[in-house]
Structure formats: structure tokens, C-alpha cells
Amino acid sequence: MRLTELVHELGGSLSSIAGDGPQVTGVHLDSRRAGAGDLFAALPGTRADGARFALDAIGRGAVAVLTPRALDLSGERPRSPQSSANIVQWIHPEARSVAGRAAARVYGDPTNGMFVVGVTGTNGKTTTAHLTGQLFRAAGRRPAVLGTAGHRLADGVFVRATHTTPDAPELMRLLAGHREMGGDCVALEASSHALDQERTSGLAFDVAIFTNLTRDHLDYHDDFERYAAAKERLFAQLRPGAAAVVNADDPVSERMAKAARGAGARVYTYSARLRGDLCASQLKTDLWGSHFSLNGMGISRSRVRFPLAGRFNVENALAAAAAALLSGASPSNVLEGLATATSAPGRLEPVPAGDRGFSVLVDYAHSEAALENVCRVVKRSLTERRAAPVGSVPRGTSGAGAGARRGNLIVVFGCGGDRDRGKRGPMGRVVNEFADVAVITSDNPRSEDPERIIAEIVAGMDPPLARRVLEPDRKRAIQGAIDAALPGDVVLIAGKGHETTQTIGADVFEFDDRLVASEALR
């Protein structure tokens, strides 16, 4: 597509150009990925200004620079025969938003005719997106699922994720590839960072889902109001006739619903407490699954056996079911899909413990509310000691029958460095309340002192749990927890879930809680 065509469609001005201008074949925000025929978007960032890398992109073959302000490149020496004075600059005051819209046009509007679902909220985004994808497949569609645990496209193609939501041009490239492989729908996580940074620009959502809002990412958003406002952007940007699916049991939902209605979108609510358009009732849940009655949106009081544990996962299932129904999936498709659903990687994921008699679970919970949710469901299962579990026992877990030893909950967890410090004490409080044994360790300490992070967690544990271990080395912490486990216990390793690396200082090491736990069990 010619650069002048993009400017004509999207506005802004060009610094200098001859004829119809260069042909644009790609769009990039990272100068290192720019190549021949690309448009480089030189955007200001939280850590660096893209303007610093404009000449690098040009030297790699980029034909123009998109910028919110004219750049003075005089005196610089580009890595190309082109002089800095002749570099074409597309100047647009809304360059960040325009980058995504330009990428959509350059890559052939990949979501035209594609059913697009965006999921936002503090907790449950990954599981909800994965469940939505599974329900799409049950309805005979070919979905992409994009988010924290990676990006899975049609034909099973998997792309590792560096961010929950890719930057807008990268997102458009992924979706263009998905369409070429026959993809016809997508469920993607829209993080608050992504919405604030307009990474979903160029996408037209058919459904936007709101899961919940609790404290997280205040290191970036400064306060809860700004955090909520970032989430709200997804709903304010819905097109007329699109749909919002919101959790009626969360107090912030009405704010999201109001934004959606203001944009001309329809609003549907879901609830695990009988007050939504789609409701779960008569809910029974334990560590091995859930049973509930599903009613609404064309489904009439159907009993569901759902393999995922916890009320919070039932809420995720309701959101996914509503989105699938809005896409045209039949009630029978949805019911069949829920019955065979699997969780996202690193979400209450069992690590096979053989005949050891105890269970090991890995979960991504890294906020106060998420940690409380998983601790609550595991603790309740240990307390109730049901003779017969609700569903099938997950591979690698040990169901305890009548007369067995009443097991303990052993929680291994930490908090990330260079992130919201205010959630450390509250996370300590949660573990103090639910765990029988707490092993406090490092998550991704980054540039912070791990022992300082641990001290801030411990400050929230008042009065302190009697059985508490402080071990900054995460591998030793996991080994110690597994060595201490007895038949009937559950070892919950929380915070990193699907992650396969650990960042300590400036170094990034291979580290997967699931593999480390497996090695410890051996």
C-alpha cells in the first residue's frame, strides 16, 4: 500500500515526498525488526523514545517514519545512502493509535469477517480466553487464542508471548497469519497496559468481556481509578451493535457496562449468584471440578459437569459461554465444550506426583485476589475431605477418601520486584489465613533485593503463621516444600504459573515451576 494512501485515509502530514510515495509492506515499532519497505513507528515509551531508533530503522530498509512530532535528524549519520534530511516523516498527533490502524490496512484488514473477542480484567483473562477458544472449536470454528501463556493460531501454530497483548502492528501480523491458515475467530487478552498504550488499535471487537477488578499493576497506573479507566477503554471503543459481557458480581461492572452502552453496544451480564443474563446455580466445586446448573441466553437449566475447580473458574466459564453464544454457537455446542474443557497452562496445573500420596499444583496467581481464590478452593477441598470427588481426579493429584489423614496446604509463593509493592503485604495476609505451611521465596526479583521483598510480604502476616519458612532461592524453596509434604497434603506453587524464566538482576535464567517440581519429586 502506498504511503500517500495511508495518509489520505488516516490523516496527518508528510514532511517530504515525491509522487505517490513509497510502497509500505510492513509496520514495526521495534527498529531491530524493521526491513525493506517497512514503516517504522517512532513512539515515545515508558523507558525509551522510539525517535532515538529512527535512523537505525531507516538503515535497515524502512521507507518512512511515523512520529507524533517532526524529528530533527540533521547532523545524524543514517546507515543507508539516504541522507537524514530526505527521510520521509509521517507526522500525526495520534501516531500511537494510527500505528495499529495503518498496520491493519497494510496487512489487509485481517479481522474483516473474523469474530473478535477481547477479554480484560485483573484475574481470569487467560483462562477465559482459553475457554472461549475451546467453545469456538466445539462449535466448528477455527480460533486463535492470544495472551499471557502464548499465542496459538490456526493449525496449532504457537508463538511465544513477550507481552500479554502484543503491540498493534505485531498483533495485526499474527492475525494476518492466522487468517491465511484458515482462522475465522480470535479470543485475546487485553491487558490494562495494552489498552493504555493502544495496542488494540485497528481491531473491531464483536464482544468485550470484563472479568473483575482488584488491585494490581499500580506501579504503572499509580492508583485504582487510573487502572479502572484503562480497562474501561475497551468498552468505550466498542462499535455500535457489538456486545459487552460483564461480571454482574463485580462492583466495577456497571462502569464498564455504562461505557459500552455509551458506545452503542449491547450489554449482557453473567453471574454465579443468580443475577445475570447467564447464570450458574446449585454450584458444587472442589479441587477436581465443578457441577452447576446453567440457565439463560437460550440455555434452560442444564446441568453441567465442568472439569475446572473453583467458583472463579465457573465465572470464567460463564463469560466464555456468553461470548460463544453471541458468536452463533448453539447451546448444545456450548454445553459439550464446557464438559470437555481444559484449563490454561499454569492455572491450577497438576504436576504428577506418582504414588507419593500428596498433590502438587502450579498456579499463576500473583495478586491478592487471585491468590485468595486458589487458596480458598484448595483449602476447602482439604477441609471437606469428600469420599467421592465431584469430577475426575486430575492427572497427578491424589484424591483422599474417608478416613485418610487430613492434609495440609503448603503454599510456596513470592512477589515480583520492580512492581506494585503495595500488594506484597496483602498477599502475605492471604497465605497467612489459608495455608498451614508458608514457604516465602522469590518470584522475579528483577533489580530489587529478594530479602527486602520477602520482608515486605512477611509484614502482612500478622500474627505470623507458626510454620513459616523464608527461602529466597526458589528452587530450594520448592524442593523443601515437596520434601516436607506428607500423604494427603497439597503443595501449591504460586506466582509464575506457565512462565519458563526467572529474572534476577539483569539476568534471565531458565526456570519453570512445573519442571523444578518434577525434578524435586524425582
Side-chain angles (χ1 to χ4, degrees):
M1 190 171 190
R2 293 288 177 183
L3 180 60
T4 49
E5 293 180 76
L6 289 172
V7 176
H8 178 73
E9 285 188 28
L10 302 176
S13 61
L14 290 169
S15 60
S16 62
I17 200 161
D20 291 333
Q23 185 81 13
V24 177
T25 56
V27 183
H28 283 284
L29 268 63
D30 186 338
S31 65
R32 294 167 297 184
R33 302 189 65 182
D38 286 341
L39 170 68
F40 173 63
L43 306 178
T46 55
R47 297 183 181 177
D49 190 338
R52 291 171 46 196
F53 307 100
L55 291 178
D56 180 55
I58 294 295
R60 294 173 187 270
V63 294
V65 175
L66 170 63
T67 172
R69 64 189 187 281
L71 303 179
D72 181 8
L73 301 175
S74 60
E76 301 287 344
R77 297 181 61 188
R79 292 171 44 194
S80 73
Q82 185 178 180
S83 74
S84 58
N86 294 329
I87 291 173
V88 177
Q89 296 187 40
W90 176 10
I91 303 160
H92 199 298
E94 298 176 0
R96 187 174 297 281
S97 173
V98 166
R101 291 151 59 197
R105 296 294 290 116
V106 168
Y107 296 121
D109 296 314
T111 57
N112 274 359
M114 193 178 291
F115 196 86
V116 181
V117 178
V119 186
T120 198
T122 304
N123 301 310
K125 293 189 298 297
T126 300
T127 297
T128 300
H130 274 257
L131 291 174
T132 301
Q134 290 174 52
L135 296 183
F136 281 157
R137 281 192 289 274
R141 305 193 73 147
R142 304 194 70 190
V145 177
L146 281 61
T148 307
H151 312 312
R152 192 167 298 280
L153 312 181
D155 289 343
V157 173
F158 181 79
V159 179
R160 180 171 290 188
T162 57
H163 296 82
T164 295
T165 313
D167 66 54
E170 175 64 17
L171 184 54
M172 290 301 168
R173 277 191 296 279
L174 285 169
L175 292 175
H178 174 57
R179 183 180 61 183
E180 288 174 7
M181 291 180 279
D184 60 6
C185 54
V186 58
L188 67 94
E189 299 178 53
S191 69
S192 58
H193 292 69
L195 292 167
D196 184 64
Q197 296 168 11
E198 302 189 80
R199 294 185 214 160
T200 59
S201 175
L203 280 180
F205 289 96
D206 296 284
V207 175
I209 294 173
F210 172 70
T211 59
N212 50 66
L213 201 71
T214 60
R215 180 182 180 127
D216 204 4
H217 303 306
L218 298 195
D219 56 304
Y220 177 88
H221 296 288
D222 294 330
D223 58 42
F224 195 79
E225 168 57 31
R226 289 185 176 89
Y227 181 37
K231 300 290 189 186
E232 186 181 2
R233 295 180 70 159
L234 178 63
F235 300 89
Q237 294 168 359
L238 287 173
R239 57 176 174 76
V245 173
V246 301
N247 182 355
D249 300 328
D250 189 281
V252 184
S253 281
E254 184 49 41
R255 174 173 179 168
M256 307 301 162
K258 183 178 179 181
R261 292 188 190 101
R266 299 163 291 155
V267 174
Y268 296 85
T269 59
Y270 65 93
S271 171
R273 293 177 172 84
L274 287 175
R275 53 188 180 194
D277 296 306
L278 186 64
C279 291
S281 60
Q282 300 175 318
L283 171 61
K284 295 182 179 179
T285 183
D286 63 18
L287 191 56
W288 301 280
S290 305
H291 271 167
F292 57 90
S293 181
L294 186 61
N295 190 63
M297 296 183 68
I299 297 176
S300 181
R301 294 182 176 83
S302 296
R303 196 68 183 160
V304 177
R305 176 206 166 276
F306 181 54
L308 277 61
R311 179 183 293 273
F312 62 97
N313 272 326
V314 172
E315 292 175 345
N316 297 334
L318 291 171
L325 290 166
L326 289 168
S327 77
S330 69
S332 61
N333 292 152
V334 170
L335 293 170
E336 290 167 8
L338 290 175
T340 57
T342 58
S343 189
R347 273 64 179 174
L348 277 179
E349 183 175 343
V351 177
D355 60 358
R356 302 286 289 274
F358 57 80
S359 303
V360 180
L361 300 170
V362 170
D363 194 86
Y364 188 56
H366 60 283
S367 68
E368 176 187 4
L371 192 56
E372 181 170 344
N373 281 337
V374 295
C375 285
R376 188 181 296 278
V377 70
V378 176
K379 187 68 170 180
R380 180 176 294 168
S381 294
L382 285 168
T383 301
E384 292 178 353
R385 308 295 294 171
R386 293 179 180 169
V390 171
S392 301
V393 178
R395 181 172 58 89
T397 66
S398 300
R405 169 184 174 271
R406 177 172 174 172
N408 287 327
L409 171 57
I410 304 171
V411 180
V412 182
F413 80 111
C415 291
D418 302 332
R419 297 294 185 267
D420 182 5
R421 292 175 58 187
K423 67 182 183 180
R424 295 172 185 174
M427 288 177 66
R429 177 199 62 77
V430 167
V431 173
N432 212 50
E433 178 181 351
F434 289 97
D436 298 291
V437 182
V439 182
I440 307 162
T441 187
S442 296
D443 191 295
N444 292 306
R446 302 183 178 91
S447 70
E448 286 196 65
D449 178 357
E451 294 194 359
R452 175 185 168 183
I453 297 173
I454 289 172
E456 292 184 3
I457 295 171
V458 169
M461 305 177 79
D462 184 29
L465 193 67
R467 299 178 63 185
R468 186 175 70 190
V469 178
L470 311 183
E471 174 50 78
D473 185 298
R474 192 173 181 92
K475 184 174 183 179
R476 285 204 294 262
I478 292 171
Q479 180 73 64
I482 287 174
D483 287 346
L486 297 173
D489 290 346
V490 174
V491 178
L492 173 64
I493 305 169
K496 291 175 61 60
H498 65 280
E499 292 179 0
T500 57
T501 62
Q502 185 180 31
T503 304
I504 302 174
D507 298 318
V508 179
F509 301 95
E510 294 295 319
F511 197 103
D512 186 323
D513 282 351
R514 297 161 296 188
L515 295 179
V516 172
S518 293
E519 291 169 3
L521 285 160
R522 286 198 292 271

